[in-house]
């Protein structure tokens, strides 16, 4: 039986902050105790980690990543191996990635394909959501099977006609099935039919630069789709989780629904909290680096997102990590913004950026852990195994130095992408040591993990309802 003791740190969970030593046995948290107690003093261990003047926090749960995703004639540049290694460097010890159903194929075929990509490759633990691209009688029946296999959430798209798009009737049917089997419907809420008209018009008028990607994907079309998704979920009697919320008007739709007591939830991402249309407008095609959907918004939307995170109208911050290199991938859209692969790198930066939000007074320390660890674990059926520090929980633990200063840069990050969306940003706070199920994967800023350590996580249904 291997034993590790982490001594002298401030243990922070969503529920409390307490000075405690943490005992780890065989990959799980065995006990917490006051550092000066006779109980803690009596612990013996194979390894002792000194966390004096540091935080001890749960490993992050990033519930929205896209490793190796095929998109726009190319594919995301991080593999499950490189992407989960980068996650570990950033203090994230669990990801939930998206398996993709191809049109004309079954959900199970898509799930099997993603298992093949990930098996034996991951440095940290992982689960899967299922993207439904083809809602049919047979795929609706398959939803029941997948919930039984621990894939308990299904993503649908109101955007991307001809690729992932589902119409309102298909969405309603999937929601009805989710209401019956406990599956949570995740929604990309943008009016893709209307957006395609605006894209066509912009290109015809010679507006081809990356900034027009943001201009055609109107905030009102995000808000309209969010409203419609909420009404469909009400008709179906199903809970709804809206992904990557970026616009003040969409937050207002969620807040209004939640004020009625509806089981409607929202996620935002660091890019919407820290970046803006100013980045999309960077000259010499540099704006292409920041093309993602939903798009970056004018800076004034950020206040509404922070407020939503404080009031719990938004519950989760995930990354939507979907990296494409600037050279050779983002460049596919030179002269036509609609051909720029949509996605940003971020799996390594989320925990640090949210700590910076604590430093700047946007959120509290406990709220940091709530939106980055505990709530995503509860939302997607992984709590209390993941997302907290308590006896019996997996020993996914991060020793975090709240005073260390760092500058984010492509030169020092570990994601397999040739730029940083936060190049040159100075932040306070840095991951020092990371344990995944008690095994050290980052040891005082040195990677000691391995591909294949990460285990697949079958998930329960949503525990947040």
């Amino acid at each position: 039986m291997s034993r590790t003791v982490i001594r002298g740190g401030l243990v922070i969970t969503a529920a409390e902050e307490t000075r405690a030593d943490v005992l780890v046995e065989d990959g799980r948290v065995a006990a917490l105790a006051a550092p000066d107690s006779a109980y803690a003093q009596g612990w013996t261990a194979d390894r002792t980690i000194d966390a004096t003047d540091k935080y001890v926090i749960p490993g992050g749960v990033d519930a929205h990543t896209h490793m190796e995703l095929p998109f726009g004639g190319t594919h995301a540049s991080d593999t499950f191996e490189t992407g989960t290694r980068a996650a570990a460097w950033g203090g994230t010890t669990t990801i939930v990635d998206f398996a993709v159903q191809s049109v004309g194929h079954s959900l199970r075929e898509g799930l099997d394909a993603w298992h093949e990509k990930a098996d034996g490759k991951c440095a940290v633990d992982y689960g899967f959501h299922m993207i439904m691209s083809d809602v049919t009688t047979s795929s609706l029946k398959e939803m029941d099977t997948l919930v039984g296999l621990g894939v308990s959430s299904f993503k649908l798209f109101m955007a991307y006609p001809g690729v992932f798009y589902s119409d309102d009737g298909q969405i309603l049917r999937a929601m009805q099935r989710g209401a019956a089997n406990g599956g949570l419907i995740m929604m990309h809420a943008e009016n893709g039919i209307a957006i395609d008209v605006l894209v066509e018009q912009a290109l015809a008028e010679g507006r081809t630069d990356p900034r027009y990607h943001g201009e055609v994907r109107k905030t009102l079309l995000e808000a309209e789709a969010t409203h419609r998704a909420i009404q469909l979920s009400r008709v179906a009697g199903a809970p709804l989780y809206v992904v990557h919320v970026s616009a003040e008007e969409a937050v207002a739709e969620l807040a209004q629904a939640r004020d009625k007591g509806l089981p409607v939830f929202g996620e935002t991402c660091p890019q919407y909290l820290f970046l803006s249309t100013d980045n999309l407008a960077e000259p010499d095609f540099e704006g292409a680096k920041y093309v993602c959907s939903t798009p970056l918004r004018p800076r004034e939307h950020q206040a509404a997102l922070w407020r939503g995170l404080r009031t719990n109208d938004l519950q989760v911050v995930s990354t939507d990590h979907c990296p494409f290199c600037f050279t050779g991938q983002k460049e596919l859209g030179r002269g036509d913004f609609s051909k720029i692969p949509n996605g940003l790198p971020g799996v390594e930066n989320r925990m640090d950026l949210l700590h910076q939000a604590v430093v700047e007074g946007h959120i509290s320390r406990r709220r940091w852990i709530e939106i980055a660890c505990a709530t995503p674990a509860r939302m997607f059926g992984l709590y209390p195994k993941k997302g907290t520090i308590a006896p019996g929980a997996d020993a996914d633990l991060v020793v975090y130095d709240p005073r260390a200063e760092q500058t984010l840069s492509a030169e020092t990050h570990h994601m397999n992408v040739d730029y940083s969306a936060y190049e040159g940003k100075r932040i306070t706070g840095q991951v020092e040591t990371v344990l995944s199920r008690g095994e050290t994967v980052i040891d005082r800023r040195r990677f000691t993990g391995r591909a294949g350590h990460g285990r697949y996580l079958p998930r329960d249904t949503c525990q947040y309802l």
Side-chain angles (χ1 to χ4, degrees):
M1 185 182 287
S2 65
R3 287 163 64 101
T4 299
V5 175
I6 303 175
R7 294 203 182 270
L10 178 67
V11 176
I12 307 172
T13 66
E16 61 184 352
E17 301 180 10
T18 181
R19 298 222 166 262
D21 292 351
V22 182
L23 175 65
V24 173
E25 285 182 351
D26 272 0
R28 295 198 170 183
V29 176
L32 290 87
D36 52 1
S37 65
Y39 178 47
Q41 294 296 321
W43 291 344
T44 58
D46 306 297
R47 184 181 185 204
T48 300
I49 297 171
D50 181 7
T52 305
D53 297 326
K54 311 281 167 56
Y55 299 157
V56 181
I57 62 175
V61 179
D62 191 344
H64 191 154
T65 68
H66 296 285
M67 309 301 175
E68 302 182 37
L69 176 74
F71 190 92
T74 183
H75 53 81
S77 57
D78 261 319
T79 63
F80 278 92
E81 182 172 349
T82 64
T84 55
R85 189 167 63 220
W89 273 104
T92 287
T93 53
T94 301
I95 65 163
V96 191
D97 204 83
F98 286 85
V100 180
Q101 174 203 23
S102 301
V103 175
H105 295 265
S106 69
L107 300 184
R108 188 58 192 261
E109 284 176 85
L111 180 59
D112 289 347
W114 255 255
H115 272 301
E116 200 172 312
K117 291 173 195 270
D119 283 357
K121 310 284 191 354
C122 294
V124 298
D125 291 353
Y126 64 99
F128 292 126
H129 312 287
M130 191 79 226
I131 288 176
M132 294 186 74
S133 309
D134 198 7
V135 180
T136 63
T137 304
S138 60
S139 63
L140 288 165
K141 282 182 186 164
E142 274 194 287
M143 288 173 72
D144 301 353
T145 307
L146 261 64
V147 171
L149 294 171
V151 179
S152 54
S153 39
F154 302 87
K155 185 178 178 186
L156 289 110
F157 287 78
M158 295 170 137
Y160 304 129
V163 185
F164 293 134
Y165 174 81
S166 294
D167 66 32
D168 288 0
Q170 292 170 316
I171 290 167
L172 179 62
R173 287 181 190 279
M175 286 176 167
Q176 289 170 331
R177 201 77 186 201
N181 64 28
L184 180 61
I185 299 299
M186 308 171 75
M187 188 63 66
H188 179 132
E190 287 187 292
N191 187 324
I193 300 289
I195 285 167
D196 274 9
V197 171
L198 297 176
V199 169
E200 185 184 327
Q201 290 170 346
L203 294 174
E205 292 162 8
R207 293 181 286 134
T208 61
D209 290 344
R211 70 188 183 96
Y212 296 109
H213 169 81
E215 290 187 16
V216 298
R217 302 186 91 91
K218 306 279 186 190
T219 57
L220 289 176
L221 295 178
E222 181 183 349
E224 181 276 329
T226 302
H227 178 85
R228 190 158 31 103
I230 291 166
Q231 304 316 316
L232 290 168
S233 74
R234 291 176 75 182
V235 170
L240 172 68
Y241 179 93
V242 181
V243 297
H244 50 53
V245 175
S246 66
E248 181 176 8
E249 295 89 341
V251 177
E253 294 289 346
L254 293 171
Q256 189 177 32
R258 292 180 58 76
D259 288 348
K260 292 186 173 116
L262 299 173
V264 172
F265 312 110
E267 155 201 288
T268 192
C269 309
Q271 53 267 34
Y272 307 117
L273 298 167
F274 291 96
L275 304 173
S276 74
T277 47
D278 294 349
N279 299 100
L280 270 177
E282 287 180 14
D284 300 324
F285 199 65
E286 290 285 309
K289 294 175 177 178
Y290 303 96
V291 166
C292 59
S293 296
T294 50
L296 301 183
R297 301 299 187 188
R299 198 169 295 280
E300 52 265 30
H301 288 264
Q302 292 174 0
L305 297 173
W306 287 120
R307 188 167 58 250
L309 287 170
R310 286 191 296 272
T311 60
N312 207 41
D313 287 319
L314 297 171
Q315 294 77 32
V316 172
V317 176
S318 304
T319 58
D320 194 7
H321 175 78
C322 191
F324 298 97
C325 289
F326 181 69
T327 302
Q329 291 191 297
K330 290 287 190 178
E331 287 180 330
L332 293 169
R334 278 192 187 274
D336 181 349
F337 68 81
S338 72
K339 291 189 166 63
I340 301 169
N342 282 220
L344 269 84
V347 75
E348 187 171 349
N349 306 130
R350 180 182 68 125
M351 296 296 285
D352 286 333
L353 287 167
L354 289 175
H355 180 261
Q356 184 62 28
V358 174
V359 172
E360 293 173 5
H362 292 296
I363 53 173
S364 68
R365 288 188 293 212
R366 283 187 295 165
R367 186 62 176 161
W368 169 38
I369 301 309
E370 194 167 14
I371 61 183
C373 311
T375 300
R378 289 172 67 200
M379 193 72 72
F380 296 108
L382 292 168
Y383 193 86
K385 185 176 182 176
K386 306 293 186 186
T388 193
I389 302 174
D394 281 358
D396 291 359
L397 302 167
V398 177
V399 178
Y400 195 87
D401 184 346
R403 293 175 188 83
E405 295 187 350
Q406 58 168 316
T407 301
L408 302 183
S409 174
E411 289 182 14
T412 51
H413 75 201
H414 304 86
M415 298 173 285
N416 185 37
V417 62
D418 62 0
Y419 73 96
S420 169
Y422 307 97
E423 187 67 44
K425 184 174 179 64
R426 294 181 59 78
I427 58 172
T428 302
Q430 189 169 43
V431 170
E432 188 174 277
T433 293
V434 179
L435 276 61
S436 168
R437 284 180 283 104
E439 191 171 306
T440 307
V441 290
I442 304 288
D443 185 1
R444 289 159 294 184
R445 301 298 299 162
R446 191 169 55 88
F447 182 74
T448 57
R450 59 184 172 82
H453 162 76
R455 287 183 189 159
Y456 170 68
L457 300 168
R459 297 179 293 108
D460 204 344
T461 51
C462 178
Q463 300 157 310
Y464 199 75
L465 294 166

